[in-house]
Amino acid sequence: TPSAVQKIKELLKDKPDHVSVGVKVGVRTRGCNGLSYTLEYTKSKGDSDEEVVQDGVRVFIEKKAQLTLLGTEMDYVEDKLSSEFVFNNPNIKGTCGCGESFNI
């Protein structure tokens, strides 16, 4: 979303070019429901990463997460108590009560 693009641009502007060129999204086995999202800075595109460029922001998707994240929208949401990246994933079949993990 435009909000996520803007936040990633803000985060990357403070990073020297040799430290980070974008962010990498993945999934890890974790939590009571099985999977959780990961988001980290990356210096380069991995051999099997899928690259998505949105309004000048480079997002790389790890190979093992590509089918899990197919059709997913990444957003950035701020309210009075928190700010976070939110993934709107149409593939999810269930989530845990705390929202930490999901299954497909």
Side-chain angles (χ1 to χ4, degrees):
T1 64
S3 178
V5 167
Q6 183 59 37
K7 185 60 178 179
I8 293 172
K9 283 181 178 179
E10 288 174 22
L11 293 170
L12 291 177
K13 77 176 181 181
D14 296 332
K15 300 281 182 208
D17 290 341
H18 66 280
V19 174
S20 181
V21 297
V23 293
K24 185 178 285 194
V25 179
V27 293
R28 298 283 182 267
T29 302
R30 191 173 98 184
C32 54
N33 231 346
L35 299 170
S36 66
Y37 300 105
T38 63
L39 188 61
E40 60 191 12
Y41 297 110
T42 188
K43 295 179 185 179
S44 61
K45 178 183 184 287
D47 291 338
S48 300
D49 292 346
E50 178 76 23
E51 181 177 0
V52 177
V53 179
Q54 179 73 39
D55 298 324
V57 169
R58 296 171 73 188
V59 176
F60 303 95
I61 303 168
E62 292 178 344
K63 180 180 175 115
K64 68 180 184 177
Q66 290 172 9
L67 289 177
T68 304
L69 297 175
L70 191 65
T72 298
E73 175 189 70
M74 183 174 153
D75 196 7
Y76 182 75
V77 179
E78 279 186 89
D79 62 29
K80 293 179 182 180
L81 299 176
S82 67
S83 59
E84 63 185 336
F85 285 100
V86 176
F87 295 88
N88 300 311
N89 188 337
N91 305 306
I92 290 178
K93 301 288 187 242
T95 60
C96 64
C98 64
E100 180 182 309
S101 62
F102 64 95
N103 65 47
I104 57 170

